[in-house]
Amino acid sequence: MRLIPCMRGTDEDEDHSKQIDREIKNWIKTYNEAIKLLLLGTGESGKTTIIKQMKILHVQGFSLKERAEKAVHILHNVHESIYDIVSNMPALSIPLQNPKNIQSQHYILKWGPSGPLEYTEVYFDHVRALWRDGGVRECFKRANEYQLIDSAEYFLDRIDLIEKPDYVPSDADILRCRQKTTGIQKIEFKVKVPKSMHGGVQDFWMFDVGGQRGERKKWIQVFEGINAIWFLVACSDFDQTLREDNTQNRLKEALELFGDVWQSRFLLEAGLIVFLNKQDLLEAKVSQGRSIAPYFPQYDQFSAAGDEYTRTKMFIKSLFMGILTKKRERRQPNASERFIVGEATRSRECYFHFTTATDTDNVRTVFRDVHQIILTQLLNNIGVY
C-alpha cells in the first residue's frame, strides 16, 4: 500500500505563521506611530493617579466591574490609614483622649497591617470611634513623622459611605485609592490633534513603573523609543521620609532621581516634562505653619514674590531647575539604579507644571499643554512644524 503524505498540517502552520507575521508588522507600525510617554518619579508621587486620569479623560472611564475591584482596595486603604495612625501613637507619646476607645484601638491593632477578612459593622464602629478621638487626630497631624497614605483623611471622613453594602467608588474615590505599583502598567488612548498642527487623531501609549528603589531596575525595559518623560514630584513630601528608607527625605530623593534621569544617555532623545505635583497638599501644609526651611536651610536665602505657599513652590521649582545646568559628579550606580549608564551632553528643553493629580480639570488643562509641547517637538524633529 502506498502512503500519500498529508500536506494540510504544513499548510495550516505556514498560514498561521504568516498571520502572526502580519500581526507583528501591524503592531510595530502602531508602536512606531504612537507617542510613547513614560511616567517616572519616586514612590507615591502620583504617577498611577495620572494613569487613572487618562482613563477618565480619554478611555471612557471605569466600568462597574473595575469600580467594584477598586472598592476592595479602598477598604484596605481605610484599614491601612487607621492602623498606621493608632500603631504610631505610642512612639509619639500620644494617648487616646477617650479611655473608652482603648478597646477600639486594641481591636484595630489585632488585625495587623493586612486588615480583617471581612469588613463588618462592628469594624466600622471601632474605626468611627477612633477617628473621632482627639488623640488620634493629634497623631494624624504629625503624619510626617511616620508613614501614612495621603488619602487617609479623605477616606476616614467617608466611612459612613464606604461601609454601605452597595458602595460604588466615585471617580474622586478611585483617584485617591492607593495601591503600590509593581512591574509595568500601560494605557493606550487617542487624542485629537489641533487643526493648526494638521489635525487628525494621535495615538498615545503611557507607561507607569513602580517608583520605589527596588522597582527602578525595571525602568530600563521601557526606555526604548520613549518620546517624552513625565517626571512627577510630590512637593508636599518635603518633610517626610521614604517608606523603603526612613533616613532619606522624600524630596531630596526626588531631586537625586531627577538628576539621574536628566543625565541618562538612554533618555537623551526624550522630551522632559516635570509635574510639581500635590500642590493642594503642599498649600495645606504651608497654611498649617509647616516650613520647608528645616529640611532645606537654603530656603531662608530664597526670595520670591507672593505668600509663603507661592514662595515655597517656587523654591522647589528652583531646586529642580538648578539640576538642569549643574555639572554632576559621575558616580557608580547601584543595582537599583542600573539605568544610569554614561551621561547625556546634548542640550534639551525641560518644561515645568504645577499640578494636582487628583483634580481632573487641572490634569486636563496641563495635558493639553503637554500634548502641544510633545507634538511640536516631534514635528520639529522631522522638519514639519
Side-chain angles (χ1 to χ4, degrees), residues 13-30:
D13 289 344
E14 188 175 340
D15 290 343
H16 184 60
S17 177
K18 288 180 179 178
Q19 176 63 25
I20 292 175
D21 288 342
R22 283 193 294 270
E23 290 176 1
I24 291 173
K25 187 176 180 180
N26 289 335
W27 185 90
I28 291 173
K29 183 176 182 292
T30 303

Side-chain angles (χ1 to χ4, degrees), residues 100-161:
K100 293 180 180 179
N101 290 333
I102 292 176
Q103 181 185 357
S104 294
Q105 186 180 39
H106 290 161
Y107 178 86
I108 293 299
L109 292 175
K110 80 173 183 178
W111 293 115
S114 299
L117 296 175
E118 184 180 359
Y119 291 86
T120 63
E121 184 177 348
V122 171
Y123 173 86
F124 282 107
D125 286 343
H126 285 299
V127 173
R128 193 176 289 107
L130 287 168
W131 188 230
R132 290 171 179 164
D133 190 278
V136 171
R137 292 290 183 145
E138 177 62 27
C139 190
F140 167 73
K141 289 178 182 177
R142 294 173 61 182
N144 65 302
E145 299 177 48
Y146 57 95
Q147 302 299 332
L148 183 67
I149 59 175
D150 290 334
S151 53
E153 182 178 26
Y154 178 87
F155 287 129
L156 289 172
D157 280 346
R158 287 163 175 74
I159 55 174
D160 290 345
L161 174 65

Side-chain angles (χ1 to χ4, degrees), residues 239-276:
D239 60 351
Q240 295 173 247
T241 59
L242 299 177
R243 283 186 184 270
E244 61 268 36
D245 179 4
N246 61 14
T247 66
Q248 173 68 322
N249 179 279
R250 290 191 183 189
L251 186 54
K252 290 179 180 177
E253 177 83 356
L255 285 160
E256 290 181 14
L257 184 58
F258 176 71
D260 293 339
V261 169
W262 178 252
Q263 295 289 345
S264 174
R265 68 179 175 87
F266 286 112
L267 303 172
L268 180 58
E269 300 300 324
L272 192 54
I273 297 145
V274 179
F275 280 18
L276 298 169

Side-chain angles (χ1 to χ4, degrees), residues 62-212:
F62 295 88
S63 66
L64 284 175
K65 180 182 177 183
E66 289 171 323
R67 291 179 189 275
E69 291 170 353
K70 295 297 182 185
V72 175
H73 296 300
I74 288 171
L75 286 171
H76 179 69
N77 284 170
V78 169
H79 179 76
E80 180 184 2
S81 299
I82 197 66
Y83 178 85
D84 286 343
I85 294 171
V86 298
S87 64
N88 279 283
M89 292 178 72
L92 298 177
S93 301
I94 301 175
L96 290 165
Q97 283 191 3
N98 186 347
K100 293 180 180 179
N101 290 333
I102 292 176
Q103 181 185 357
S104 294
Q105 186 180 39
H106 290 161
Y107 178 86
I108 293 299
L109 292 175
K110 80 173 183 178
W111 293 115
S114 299
L117 296 175
E118 184 180 359
Y119 291 86
T120 63
E121 184 177 348
V122 171
Y123 173 86
F124 282 107
D125 286 343
H126 285 299
V127 173
R128 193 176 289 107
L130 287 168
W131 188 230
R132 290 171 179 164
D133 190 278
V136 171
R137 292 290 183 145
E138 177 62 27
C139 190
F140 167 73
K141 289 178 182 177
R142 294 173 61 182
N144 65 302
E145 299 177 48
Y146 57 95
Q147 302 299 332
L148 183 67
I149 59 175
D150 290 334
S151 53
E153 182 178 26
Y154 178 87
F155 287 129
L156 289 172
D157 280 346
R158 287 163 175 74
I159 55 174
D160 290 345
L161 174 65
I162 294 171
E163 73 169 323
K164 292 181 179 180
D166 59 349
Y167 165 65
V168 177
S170 65
D171 285 348
D173 296 343
I174 291 174
L175 289 172
R176 288 166 176 81
C177 176
R178 164 70 183 156
Q179 185 183 1
K180 180 182 176 181
T181 301
T182 56
I184 301 167
Q185 297 185 51
K186 185 188 79 168
I187 184 173
E188 299 179 26
F189 55 93
K190 297 178 183 294
V191 178
K192 288 183 179 179
V193 178
K195 289 183 179 178
S196 61
M197 305 181 79
H198 304 285
V201 175
Q202 176 64 55
D203 288 316
F204 278 80
W205 289 12
M206 183 177 283
F207 298 90
D208 174 26
V209 288
Q212 280 79 13

